[in-house]
Amino acid sequence: MTRSLINTRPFAKLKLLGMIFCLLILPLQVQAKPLRMVEGDGSIPKYAKGLLKLALSKIPEKYEWDDSTATNTEARIIQMVVENQLDVCWYATTNEFEERMQPIRIPMYRGLLGYRVLMIKKGTQSKFDGIRTLEDLRRVSLGSGRFWADTDVLLANNLNVVKVLKYEGMFFMLDGDRFDAFPRGAHEPWAEMKRHPKLDLEVEKNLLMIYPNPFYFFVNKSNNELAKNIEKGLRIAIEDGSFEEYFMNDPTVKDVIANANLKSRTVIKLQNPTLPKLTPLDDKTLWFDPFSLDKKE
């Protein structure tokens, strides 16, 4: 009997050690919370995920990255966040989105996606050379999608808008003199013109329309912890300079700075009546200023 007890002691010790190990590792497993999002496609999802990883690298909390959910429509993705089937998404903010989800009010692109240049037909630059103000801009006609949020902004500023149903038709209508200019995000027109090499299109040289159009991360209304952690990580990244470094080295942003000549353009500011009231417009650390590029060069 004594021998039996003696022989089992090593096994008892091993069992005890195993239990202690499990107890030690269990909190680590619980700590890694799921972070579900769509797999995404294109430059914006790639940028958003990179920025999210940067933010989360700044905080001690750990998340289990899961971007295996197939890309879907905007409406479906938002509904999945509302129903807790996804944990995070990213979109240009609207009042509706902020009512249905919880925004992290730090603009992912620092407001750059609210910068608009004009695509025009070659040989028509003279139509735009004398434009200096919003009132001047009302002399020309602008093509825009019938159901686009951009269109609402242009109309709210009493601009002359030609509504078009199909996106691809815009380029042919511009080439066919159906309107004078096609406002594009400062990151968009060069790639679009490459897709239509047979059309006589170019980017207008002097004007830059700006209206606040922040892209945010959004989480479920009840997920306060995740919202707090993402915001905390982003603010640390802003303070230590890694947010700006990531932003300035993004291929889309680099293309804009290289091609759009932002700092030399005449700025025409537009009002965005659909902008949620809590947008942090007064926090200058959150917004890109193209005129500050001179100071950094």
Side-chain angles (χ1 to χ4, degrees):
M1 182 66 123
T2 305
R3 180 183 298 178
S4 175
L5 287 172
I6 293 172
N7 289 341
T8 59
R9 282 175 183 172
F11 297 102
K13 288 181 179 180
L14 287 173
K15 185 176 181 181
L16 180 60
L17 289 172
M19 291 174 65
I20 293 172
F21 177 77
C22 289
L23 289 172
L24 289 172
I25 198 171
L26 184 61
L28 297 177
Q29 293 174 331
V30 172
Q31 190 177 7
K33 299 178 181 179
L35 187 62
R36 301 162 298 172
M37 66 202 78
V38 295
E39 55 188 2
D41 184 32
S43 61
I44 290 180
K46 183 178 179 180
Y47 176 88
K49 290 180 183 181
L51 183 60
L52 185 57
K53 286 182 177 179
L54 175 65
L56 296 178
S57 74
K58 306 292 182 179
I59 60 174
E61 292 81 4
K62 302 301 177 186
Y63 288 90
E64 184 179 342
W65 191 270
D66 179 4
D67 60 353
S68 61
T69 302
T71 301
N72 211 311
T73 63
E74 177 182 287
R76 179 57 187 150
I77 290 171
I78 291 169
Q79 188 62 31
M80 291 175 77
V81 172
V82 170
E83 295 177 354
N84 266 322
Q85 298 174 26
L86 291 175
D87 297 301
V88 63
C89 65
W90 42 83
Y91 286 110
T93 193
T94 66
N95 283 302
E96 178 190 353
F97 290 178
E98 294 197 16
E99 289 171 3
R100 300 184 65 194
M101 300 180 289
Q102 182 172 178
I104 290 84
R105 293 189 178 90
I106 296 179
M108 290 166 37
Y109 274 97
R110 303 179 65 200
L112 183 64
L113 299 189
Y115 285 49
R116 294 288 184 268
V117 294
L118 299 176
M119 187 184 295
I120 63 174
K121 185 175 181 179
K122 287 182 180 177
T124 64
Q125 177 63 46
S126 59
K127 287 185 180 181
F128 303 87
D129 286 341
I131 294 177
R132 296 288 183 272
T133 66
L134 180 59
E135 186 63 36
D136 294 337
L137 189 60
R138 292 178 178 131
R139 297 199 302 258
V140 297
S141 57
L142 307 174
S144 192
R146 181 175 294 275
F147 302 109
W148 293 0
D150 279 1
T151 303
D152 294 334
V153 173
L154 297 175
L155 290 172
N157 286 270
N158 296 316
L159 291 167
N160 181 9
V161 179
V162 177
K163 296 181 183 180
V164 180
L165 187 60
K166 295 183 178 180
Y167 162 74
E168 284 297 331
M170 297 277 198
F171 306 97
F172 297 93
M173 292 177 70
L174 178 58
D175 185 57
D177 298 313
R178 298 284 296 278
F179 43 80
D180 298 314
F182 182 14
R184 308 303 300 130
H187 60 293
E188 294 176 314
W190 290 274
E192 291 173 328
M193 290 187 299
K194 284 181 181 178
R195 295 205 318 267
H196 299 90
K198 294 183 180 180
L199 301 181
D200 289 327
L201 305 176
E202 64 182 0
V203 177
E204 194 279 332
K205 298 176 181 178
N206 302 320
L207 301 176
L208 178 64
M209 299 189 301
I210 299 178
Y211 70 90
N213 183 38
F215 257 65
Y216 291 152
F217 290 112
F218 289 90
V219 302
N220 183 275
K221 275 282 191 183
S222 64
N223 202 343
N224 296 322
E225 183 179 357
L226 178 58
K228 179 182 176 182
N229 286 337
I230 294 175
E231 179 172 356
K232 181 180 178 181
L234 289 173
R235 291 199 179 277
I236 293 172
I238 290 170
E239 291 172 8
D240 68 21
S242 56
F243 189 134
E244 182 172 12
E245 182 181 5
Y246 178 79
F247 171 78
M248 295 298 291
N249 283 289
D250 176 69
T252 298
V253 176
K254 291 174 78 171
D255 282 348
V256 170
I257 292 172
N259 295 321
N261 195 25
L262 296 177
K263 61 187 178 182
S264 299
R265 290 176 174 269
T266 298
V267 172
I268 297 178
K269 292 188 177 182
L270 306 182
Q271 298 298 314
N272 182 358
T274 66
L275 192 69
K277 292 182 179 179
L278 294 179
T279 304
L281 296 174
D282 294 332
D283 188 345
K284 302 305 180 185
T285 65
L286 302 181
W287 304 91
F288 175 61
D289 177 10
F291 302 102
S292 69
L293 295 175
D294 283 326
K295 303 173 186 176
K296 299 173 183 177
E297 292 176 354

